[in-house]
């Protein structure tokens, strides 16, 4: 199955990988991004330069909140993969209004553009953060998820609810994918794995929030792409529907163990500076992925040990000399 797909957030970490994956599968891909200054534009442009080698790739610099522009861009598109968002739990506490504007208003703008353009197939990139700290482990998609502990989490849950409304009112078929701590080559520099790798490679200490006992369900980008492809196939059915899917590894890794793995991959001894836990950070994430296995054919294969080893090699090949 191929066609024309519009990917929002195309210059970002998950977005650029998604564009490449669909181009390699024979799709025409239109990427949209506004180069939000959350991190260095040059890093995003490097990813886009890699995509420029594909004749079937087009890119437009545009803000998803510009609904009329999005509606025009959706001409001839068969499916939208909506990944554009203002990321980050801690920064959302500092500027919640911006997060509401981009993540909620922006998502509604995408949905409204789809309605006006007659595009009924949408894959939305949500987050495991919506589960908060009170959801039983492992997290299941039918959990209420009504106790977010950061503005970022609240905006993602709100965006999911708007997706559900558009399915009910306008017959869209939408898959909401709750990503669990995605990592891999070209990961955002502010995220833990990239930041720890950079610091440890440079012989510096890493700042660890809390005692290191927090746990995350880390998911390699290759496995996330597999889930996104499965979700796009799921939207091909013309029956209106809204479904939430967890995309994780169904395995938790303690923060202390993560630091050890990165240090081992870099062949260094880690130096750790403990600081107070950050407000808004959940204690644990763990995905029940049985629904995604059953309905999307999702089958994660990259272990955290293998993924960290691959990431360290990528980092040393691309950034080692700058450390």
């Amino acid at each position: 199955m191929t066609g024309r797909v519009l990917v929002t957030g195309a210059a970002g970490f998950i977005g650029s990988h998604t564009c490449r994956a669909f181009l390699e599968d024979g799709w025409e891909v239109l990427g949209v991004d506004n180069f939000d200054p959350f991190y260095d534009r040059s890093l995003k442009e490097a990813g886009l330069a890699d995509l420029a080698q594909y004749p079937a790739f087009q890119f437009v610099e545009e803000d998803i909140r510009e609904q009329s522009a999005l509606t025009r861009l959706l001409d001839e598109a068969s499916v939208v993969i909506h990944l554009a968002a203002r990321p980050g739990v801690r920064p959302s506490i500092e500027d919640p209004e911006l997060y509401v504007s981009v993540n909620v208003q922006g998502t509604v703008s995408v949905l409204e553009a789809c309605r006006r353009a007659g595009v009924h197939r949408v894959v939305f990139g949500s987050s495991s953060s919506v589960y908060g700290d009170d959801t039983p482990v492992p997290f299941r998609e039918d959990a209420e998820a009504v106790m977010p502990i950061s503005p970022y989490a609240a905006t993602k849950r709100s965006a999911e609810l708007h997706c559900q409304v558009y399915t009910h009112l306008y017959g869209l078929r939408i898959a909401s994918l709750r990503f669990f701590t995605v990592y891999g080559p070209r990961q955002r520099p502010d995220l833990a794995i990239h930041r720890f790798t950079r610091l440890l490679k440079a012989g510096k200490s890493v700042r660890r929030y809390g005692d290191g006992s927090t746990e995350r369900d880390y998911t390699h980008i290759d496995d996330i792409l597999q889930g996104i492809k499965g979700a796009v196939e799921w939207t091909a059915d013309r029956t209106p529907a809204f479904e939430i899917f967890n995309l994780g590894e169904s395995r938790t890794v303690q923060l202390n163990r993560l630091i050890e793995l990165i240090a081992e991959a870099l062949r260094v001894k880690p130096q750790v500076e403990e600081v107070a836990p950050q407000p808004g950070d959940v204690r644990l994430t763990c995905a029940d992925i049985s629904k995604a296995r059953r309905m999307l054919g999702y089958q994660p294969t990259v272990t955290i040990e293998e993924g960290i080893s691959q990431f360290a090699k990528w980092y040393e090949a691309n950034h080692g000399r700058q450390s």
Side-chain angles (χ1 to χ4, degrees):
M1 180 194 311
T2 58
R4 182 176 176 85
V5 58
L6 185 145
V7 179
T8 70
F13 165 48
I14 300 177
S16 60
H17 279 282
T18 298
C19 289
R20 185 185 183 102
F22 278 82
L23 288 164
E24 290 179 345
D25 284 351
W27 287 72
E28 292 181 33
V29 176
L30 173 59
V32 178
D33 203 293
N34 74 333
F35 293 105
D36 183 280
F38 187 82
Y39 65 96
D40 193 341
R41 175 175 178 138
S42 66
L43 297 176
K44 299 177 182 180
E45 290 179 333
L48 289 176
D50 182 56
L51 296 173
Q53 65 180 301
Y54 294 92
F57 179 69
Q58 293 178 278
F59 177 77
V60 175
E61 184 172 351
E62 188 59 79
D63 193 306
I64 57 170
R65 290 167 290 185
E66 293 296 331
Q67 185 192 121
S68 59
L70 272 183
T71 304
R72 292 192 299 272
L73 292 174
L74 280 169
D75 184 41
E76 298 183 8
S78 53
V79 59
V80 171
I81 303 175
H82 175 36
L83 302 174
R86 181 74 178 185
V89 167
R90 294 165 196 156
S92 74
I93 297 173
E94 300 171 3
D95 195 352
E97 289 180 320
L98 175 60
Y99 279 73
V100 170
S101 176
V102 176
N103 296 355
V104 181
Q105 180 186 334
T107 296
V108 173
S109 176
V110 171
L111 293 171
E112 187 63 11
C114 288
R115 181 188 71 81
R116 293 186 176 190
V119 176
H120 292 83
R121 302 169 59 189
V122 179
V123 174
F124 169 59
S126 188
S127 167
S128 62
S129 66
V130 302
Y131 289 110
D133 266 340
D134 297 325
T135 303
V137 176
F139 300 162
R140 288 170 47 94
E141 294 89 345
D142 56 4
E144 288 186 340
V146 293
M147 296 292 287
I149 62 172
S150 71
Y152 172 74
T155 62
K156 282 296 187 179
R157 186 67 182 113
S158 177
E160 287 184 340
L161 293 173
H162 281 91
C163 288
Q164 189 168 14
V165 166
Y166 268 73
T167 290
H168 172 72
L169 292 177
Y170 306 117
L172 274 64
R173 189 171 178 90
I174 304 177
S176 179
L177 306 181
R178 290 177 176 170
F179 300 142
F180 281 69
T181 315
V182 189
Y183 73 100
R186 299 204 309 274
Q187 184 187 41
R188 290 196 339 253
D190 63 294
L191 293 175
I193 290 175
H194 197 150
R195 186 174 71 255
F196 290 166
T197 301
R198 181 174 66 251
L199 292 169
L200 291 174
K201 181 64 179 177
K204 300 178 181 179
S205 63
V206 299
R207 179 175 291 185
R208 185 191 66 200
Y209 294 100
D211 63 2
S213 63
T214 55
E215 299 177 62
R216 293 287 181 274
D217 193 340
Y218 295 96
T219 315
H220 194 271
I221 184 63
D222 288 351
D223 291 329
I224 290 294
L225 293 175
Q226 179 196 139
I228 292 174
K229 289 180 180 181
V232 167
E233 291 182 12
W234 176 84
T235 64
D237 189 314
R238 291 294 296 176
T239 307
F242 171 75
E243 293 287 351
I244 296 170
F245 300 97
N246 289 334
L247 294 189
E249 293 288 347
S250 229
R251 171 190 174 190
T252 62
V253 179
Q254 280 200 348
L255 180 56
N256 282 332
R257 178 56 179 155
L258 178 71
I259 295 172
E260 290 175 359
L261 286 172
I262 296 172
E264 290 170 6
L266 295 172
R267 304 167 300 281
V268 300
K269 184 176 180 179
Q271 303 175 58
V272 178
E273 173 191 355
E274 182 174 337
V275 296
Q278 288 285 292
D281 280 350
V282 297
R283 295 185 301 270
L284 179 150
T285 63
C286 180
D288 180 331
I289 58 174
S290 55
K291 181 178 179 181
R293 289 184 191 273
R294 183 178 71 254
M295 296 179 64
L296 305 183
Y298 179 65
Q299 187 64 44
T301 60
V302 184
T303 65
I304 187 65
E305 291 82 5
E306 180 185 357
I308 291 298
S309 176
Q310 290 178 1
F311 184 83
K313 291 176 181 176
W314 169 82
Y315 184 86
E316 291 181 319
N318 291 273
H319 302 284
R321 294 179 181 178
Q322 302 171 19
S323 298

